Amino acid sequence: MFKNLYLKLSFVGLCLFALGACSDDDDEAGLVGAPECSLNSDTGEYKVKIRHEVTLQVTAENAINPVYAWKRAGKIVSEQETYQFKGDQLGEFFVNFRLDADNGSVEKQAKITVVDRLPPEITVSSSAVGYCDVALKVAAETKYTDESTTFEWSYGGRVVSHDSIYQFKEKEIDVYTLALKVTNADGVDVKNINISVIPEEEPVLFFDNGRYVEPSTIHDVRTMTCPIGRSLVLAPVRFSISDDAVYEWSVDGSVQSETSIHFKFTPSAEGQIYEIKVKAIDGGKTAEATVKVSVLPKKVPISGHRPQRVIGYPIIALSSRLLRGSSLISLRTRLPKMHE
């Protein structure tokens, strides 16, 4: 009897182990998710001139051990990430793509239209915004260009450039019309671009307190706290400052090596109050902000209790947005960060 009971318990244990292993596999597959892919045409449609080629390309994401297959008329024509479609005859054609991976499959279909003439197609937006007396680069974004393609920019009733990029600049607030004409061997396309010129916004840099901030208190010097032996990551809120900006940090007048918007500060003296300044340099624009850090004594855990985590406010603010017509600044991200 005991032998039979032992065998039954062993069998149940093996079953539970197998189920657990399968569950782990399923959990891992669930964490990975299904594969995704996209074509190099947002619409999945392509045009190509007769006796020319067009490249169909797929970009795969989250695919484990992917296998590719392009099919035309039911036959595999490529097993790579790209397929060169040759426009041998006029008409519409369809190519199917399939990706098979360990974590799933996905399919896409491309439509290719073969034409005898393929004039350019301007895709640049018909509206843009620029700042007073600041040059705005306007690129002649166009599809179906080749070695015969030419560009012509017109402004104020005259031709002003034949380059693919035009530098537009006006001093006065107004809406201006810039005309673009693109020509190739098969035809021409034209488009008017309305450019709204507005006053340049002043760059703003400040440290917030984790709440709504009134514009009148933006540049108030706030004090943060940090216990000795810990580090504090500082990042000011920025407005009208580009990602290309370079930052200069200083602690009590001593310049630091950090040049990004984030600064990891580790105080060395308990009871001291440090003055930390940051300056953003964005082309010809600059903005500055100041914050103070008060160093607290190190927390000593009580015997028999877990040590508490100390949270300093505010630690980091990633971005902000000035609300026009409002007296408040709304913070997009406002989560306190724990000391390391």
Side-chain angles (χ1 to χ4, degrees), residues 15-83:
C15 291
L16 290 174
F17 176 78
L19 288 173
C22 293
S23 177
D24 291 342
D25 292 341
D26 292 341
D27 290 343
E28 290 180 3
L31 290 175
V32 171
E36 298 179 357
C37 70
S38 58
L39 296 171
N40 58 335
S41 168
D42 294 335
T43 61
E45 298 185 6
Y46 301 79
K47 287 183 180 180
V48 62
K49 191 175 179 179
I50 187 72
R51 292 183 292 277
H52 286 70
E53 294 184 356
V54 61
T55 301
L56 279 61
Q57 183 173 359
V58 68
T59 300
E61 295 181 359
N62 200 37
I64 301 175
N65 300 322
V67 176
Y68 309 103
W70 296 88
K71 285 187 176 182
R72 182 179 175 185
K75 295 182 179 180
I76 295 178
V77 290
S78 174
E79 294 180 326
Q80 306 299 321
E81 293 180 346
T82 61
Y83 169 53

Side-chain angles (χ1 to χ4, degrees), residues 277-330:
K277 294 185 177 182
V278 57
K279 180 179 181 180
I281 304 172
D282 189 13
K285 301 185 297 182
T286 61
E288 298 182 9
T290 301
V291 67
K292 291 184 178 181
V293 176
S294 177
V295 185
L296 305 178
K298 186 176 182 180
K299 292 281 186 177
V300 179
I302 302 174
S303 178
H305 296 272
R306 296 178 63 186
Q308 297 179 346
R309 292 183 177 180
V310 181
I311 300 177
Y313 291 88
I315 302 301
I316 180 171
L318 295 180
S319 61
S320 71
R321 177 170 55 87
L322 287 178
L323 300 180
R324 297 186 181 277
S326 171
S327 62
L328 300 177
I329 289 179
S330 175

Side-chain angles (χ1 to χ4, degrees), residues 80-150:
Q80 306 299 321
E81 293 180 346
T82 61
Y83 169 53
Q84 291 294 125
F85 181 93
K86 297 180 180 180
D88 296 329
Q89 62 185 61
L90 299 175
E92 294 182 348
F93 304 89
F94 295 89
V95 176
N96 295 315
F97 171 81
R98 180 181 175 90
L99 180 151
D100 290 304
D102 293 349
N103 55 321
S105 302
V106 62
E107 295 183 356
K108 294 286 183 180
Q109 186 179 72
K111 175 184 176 182
I112 304 95
T113 304
V114 182
V115 296
D116 58 348
R117 298 175 67 84
L118 192 58
E121 184 178 316
I122 299 173
T123 59
V124 66
S125 174
S126 59
S127 62
V129 176
Y131 295 117
C132 296
D133 208 25
V134 177
L136 173 68
K137 288 185 179 180
V138 186
E141 300 172 4
T142 309
K143 295 195 295 184
Y144 316 126
T145 59
D146 53 30
E147 62 278 0
S148 69
T149 303
T150 60

Side-chain angles (χ1 to χ4, degrees), residues 131 198-203 239-240 285 324:
Y131 295 117
I198 62 176
E200 185 175 11
E201 297 168 323
E202 291 296 324
F239 176 75
S240 194
K285 301 185 297 182
R324 297 186 181 277

Side-chain angles (χ1 to χ4, degrees), residues 81-266:
E81 293 180 346
T82 61
Y83 169 53
Q84 291 294 125
F85 181 93
K86 297 180 180 180
D88 296 329
Q89 62 185 61
L90 299 175
E92 294 182 348
F93 304 89
F94 295 89
V95 176
N96 295 315
F97 171 81
R98 180 181 175 90
L99 180 151
D100 290 304
D102 293 349
N103 55 321
S105 302
V106 62
E107 295 183 356
K108 294 286 183 180
Q109 186 179 72
K111 175 184 176 182
I112 304 95
T113 304
V114 182
V115 296
D116 58 348
R117 298 175 67 84
L118 192 58
E121 184 178 316
I122 299 173
T123 59
V124 66
S125 174
S126 59
S127 62
V129 176
Y131 295 117
C132 296
D133 208 25
V134 177
L136 173 68
K137 288 185 179 180
V138 186
E141 300 172 4
T142 309
K143 295 195 295 184
Y144 316 126
T145 59
D146 53 30
E147 62 278 0
S148 69
T149 303
T150 60
F151 304 93
E152 182 180 288
W153 298 91
S154 297
Y155 177 61
R158 63 186 183 89
V159 176
V160 292
S161 176
H162 288 284
D163 295 330
S164 61
I165 296 177
Y166 178 65
Q167 298 266 8
F168 179 85
K169 184 178 179 180
E170 280 289 352
K171 294 182 179 181
E172 303 299 327
I173 299 174
D174 207 338
V175 178
Y176 302 88
T177 300
L178 179 67
L180 172 62
K181 178 181 178 181
V182 182
T183 307
N184 68 10
D186 291 332
V188 61
D189 192 16
V190 295
K191 176 176 276 191
N192 287 334
I193 304 169
N194 295 319
I195 302 178
S196 300
V197 176
I198 62 176
E200 185 175 11
E201 297 168 323
E202 291 296 324
V204 177
L205 197 67
F206 68 95
F207 291 94
D208 76 290
N209 60 359
R211 301 178 178 87
Y212 287 103
V213 181
E214 296 182 3
S216 61
T217 65
I218 282 179
H219 297 295
D220 289 357
V221 178
R222 295 173 173 80
T223 300
M224 302 183 185
T225 60
C226 181
I228 191 71
R230 300 291 182 89
S231 296
L232 191 65
V233 179
L234 299 169
V237 176
R238 64 179 181 177
F239 176 75
S240 194
I241 298 175
S242 74
D243 294 336
D244 298 326
V246 177
Y247 297 83
E248 293 181 355
W249 292 86
S250 66
V251 178
D252 289 339
S254 177
V255 178
Q256 307 297 302
S257 60
E258 183 60 68
T259 59
S260 74
I261 194 172
H262 304 99
F263 176 54
K264 183 178 180 180
F265 174 63
T266 305

